[in-house]
Amino acid sequence: MLAPLADARAAAFLDDVEAGRNAGAARVAEATDGAARASALQDVLLAHDRASAGFAIGALLAALDADLARGSATRGPHDRALLERQVRDLLAAQTEAGIGNRALCLLSGRGEPKSLERQIRLAVPRWSCERH
């Protein structure tokens, strides 16, 4: 009897993640550097002030995807600080959503989910896709 309710919540959560990812990707794609990307991300999150943790996760994953696409060779010290802030915000949203590390890595939608683990380890060295 509770299974349909749980399925509906899971579907709504995944829809929120996708909406956040789309909103974040659209705004972050317009940005030319780390500070502009961080500002665009903040704009997305502020525009959806009462957004769910799923939406925040999606938007933050989009920002981390943009950083990954840019590559570490072009990342300066200021960009690293912004990346660490985004990672900490992502982990806070993860905690709010009540999902585990593996689920977060799978939500990244990346061909290699461990690439998210490597980004998160820049801020939290012992973090793993396999840990809860």
Side-chain angles (χ1 to χ4, degrees):
M1 186 152 138
L2 295 176
L5 182 60
D7 290 345
R9 283 189 192 143
F13 176 75
L14 293 175
D15 288 345
D16 286 348
V17 171
E18 193 59 30
R21 185 186 311 274
N22 290 336
R27 291 298 305 269
V28 168
E30 300 167 2
T32 57
D33 63 17
R37 277 196 313 276
S39 178
L41 175 63
Q42 284 306 111
D43 290 348
V44 167
L45 294 175
L46 289 173
H48 297 85
D49 184 36
R50 301 220 183 262
S52 69
F55 184 91
I57 288 170
L60 289 156
L61 286 173
L64 291 173
D65 288 347
D67 179 75
L68 185 65
R70 187 167 173 229
S72 62
T74 59
R75 188 182 301 132
H78 184 68
D79 290 334
R80 179 164 176 141
L82 293 172
L83 176 65
E84 288 178 9
R85 169 69 190 261
Q86 290 169 353
V87 164
R88 293 190 191 289
D89 290 347
L90 177 64
L91 296 179
Q94 173 194 8
T95 298
E96 183 181 337
I99 62 173
N101 293 1
R102 181 147 176 78
L104 185 62
C105 286
L106 293 173
L107 278 175
S108 74
R110 295 178 180 179
E112 193 213 333
K114 291 257 185 176
S115 64
L116 179 66
E117 179 179 293
R118 287 190 295 275
Q119 281 181 301
I120 291 174
R121 284 185 172 188
L122 292 173
V124 183
R126 297 182 54 88
W127 197 90
S128 169
C129 285
E130 304 306 319
R131 293 192 188 155
H132 296 287

